[in-house]
Amino acid sequence: EIVLTQSPATLSLSPGERATLSCRASQSVSSYLAWYQQKPGQAPRLLIYDASNRATGIPARFSGSGSGTDFTLTISSLEPEDFAVYYCQQRSNWPQFTFGPGTKVDIK
Amino acid sequence: QVQLVESGGGLVKPGGSLRLSCAASGFTFSDYYMSWIRQAPGKGLEWVSYISSSGSTIYYADSVKGRFTISRDNAKNSLYLQMNSLRAEDTAVYYCASGIADNWFDPWGQGTLVTVSS
């Protein structure tokens, strides 16, 4: 099983600041990595797929990078609606999909 | 508008059974794979099961293999999860999700809560 590790567990920032979230895989997943955003009481929403492609309707302030085992989700300037939990997910080991434990971005 | 709506959750005793449903609309259901993903209270996401567009290929997480059965009815645009021999650790919100977005999980339904407790 491919294990995903996310850091930090919690990121405390202010609106307008830049957020940098990390996801590390226990073995190479090539570019088969996605990022999801989940707000309290809501289902997750796809943000980034194939490591760096924004999903439909996702604002340009969200960007993804990386390949192999190290990936980054960057939010260039936090908006109030961006405070949420972010999960990475791999599908390299199809269909044993796995998710990371999540990074909570909260208001400082 | 693409929409997934789960139903069938509730309170069940350990060892009991429950059948979840997911009604799809706004897209050609029979063209896409579907999955069930769950989230225990206050915890992260766990993939549970996958079914191909035709229903011919099915996979399960080890944690539910032999107890859960995924199925679909393309004529009814519906996905199902039959859950047997339920355990306390199966308590979670269960989401259905499609592979519309280039085979990634998108969109997701709103989820249905399953509580296994005596």
Side-chain angles (χ1 to χ4, degrees), chain B residues 64-84:
Chain B
V64 306
K65 201 173 296 183
R67 300 187 299 121
F68 288 12
T69 302
I70 191 172
S71 63
R72 66 190 295 162
D73 185 335
N74 286 343
K76 294 183 177 180
N77 290 341
S78 293
L79 173 73
Y80 307 101
L81 186 68
Q82 177 66 43
M83 303 185 295
N84 298 330

Side-chain angles (χ1 to χ4, degrees), chain A residues 31-34 48-53 66 71 91, chain B residues 102 104:
Chain A
S31 294
Y32 294 118
L33 190 108
I48 301 289
Y49 65 95
D50 292 346
S52 61
N53 296 311
F71 300 86
R91 69 162 200 212
Chain B
D102 202 25
W104 293 98

Side-chain angles (χ1 to χ4, degrees), chain A residues 32-34 36 38 42-44 46 49-50 87 89 91 94-97 99, chain B residues 33 37 39 43-45 47 50 59-60 95 101-106 108-109:
Chain A
Y32 294 118
L33 190 108
Y36 298 84
Q38 187 179 33
Q42 295 185 17
L46 178 68
Y49 65 95
D50 292 346
Y87 294 96
Q89 177 238 327
R91 69 162 200 212
W94 187 285
Q96 297 299 324
F97 311 110
F99 292 88
Chain B
Y33 81 76
I37 299 148
Q39 186 170 35
K43 302 297 184 182
L45 300 166
W47 168 77
Y50 160 101
Y59 299 105
Y60 299 98
Y95 297 101
D102 202 25
N103 289 320
W104 293 98
F105 296 135
D106 185 71
W108 300 52

Side-chain angles (χ1 to χ4, degrees), chain B residues 47-67:
Chain B
W47 168 77
V48 172
S49 185
Y50 160 101
I51 186 167
S52 63
S53 58
S54 66
S56 60
T57 302
I58 286 172
Y59 299 105
Y60 299 98
D62 289 343
S63 57
V64 306
K65 201 173 296 183
R67 300 187 299 121

Side-chain angles (χ1 to χ4, degrees), chain B residues 10-26:
Chain B
L11 175 64
V12 62
K13 289 182 169 54
S17 298
L18 213 54
R19 189 194 196 207
L20 306 183
S21 299
C22 170
S25 60

